[in-house]
Amino acid sequence: MAADLIHKISPHSVSVTIDRLAAAVEGAGAKVFARVDHAAGAESVGEELRPTQMLMFGNPKLGSPAMQAAQTSGLDLPLRVLAFADAEGVVHVVYHDPAELAATHGIAPDAEVIAKMTGALGKLTDKAVASE
């Protein structure tokens, strides 16, 4: 895995993990913008792909300050989290470290918005992968 990715293991299926993440996002007052089922997309063209889903979500209270600091950060916002099953069936949850967003777009690494994104992504994904 690349150094700028945060990686967690989920005890749940891909679908359940993304369901739990979506519930955590909405419970925190943020908005789910899209849920992409990559495996279903692959199947629609006769291809096979292990279960893989991405959730795109955001909160203008976090995204707006990042875009005010560097409008190009809109390329990487809203935030995205990927869940996928590997060849052994282990479910992985992966997302970009917000520090990488800061570096890519020239936002100060110690900016409050980056700390808030880091904390929010950590808490939301922890809820998604919690055993109960």
Side-chain angles (χ1 to χ4, degrees):
M1 294 287 164
D4 68 331
L5 296 178
I6 306 295
H7 182 208
K8 299 179 181 184
I9 300 296
S10 176
H12 311 290
S13 69
V14 168
S15 288
V16 169
T17 299
I18 293 294
D19 288 346
R20 291 171 59 95
L21 178 60
V25 165
E26 291 170 346
K31 180 177 176 162
V32 172
F33 293 107
R35 180 175 182 157
V36 177
D37 186 335
H38 291 292
E43 185 178 348
S44 76
V45 295
E47 296 293 333
E48 290 184 26
L49 183 66
R50 290 186 298 272
T52 307
Q53 294 186 27
M54 182 274 299
L55 194 71
M56 179 185 288
F57 58 92
N59 182 335
K61 289 182 182 180
L62 287 178
S64 296
M67 290 182 64
Q68 289 166 345
Q71 213 158 359
T72 59
S73 65
L75 284 169
D76 295 311
L77 296 173
L79 298 170
R80 295 175 306 279
V81 173
L82 182 74
F84 68 92
D86 67 18
E88 286 76 39
V90 175
V91 175
H92 301 260
V93 172
V94 183
Y95 59 91
H96 284 283
D97 185 340
E100 188 64 25
L101 181 131
T104 298
H105 299 287
I107 300 172
D110 60 348
E112 183 179 357
V113 65
I114 298 303
K116 286 182 179 180
M117 281 183 186
T118 300
L121 277 166
K123 288 177 186 173
L124 294 170
T125 55
D126 282 350
K127 286 182 179 183
V129 303
S131 51
E132 283 311 313

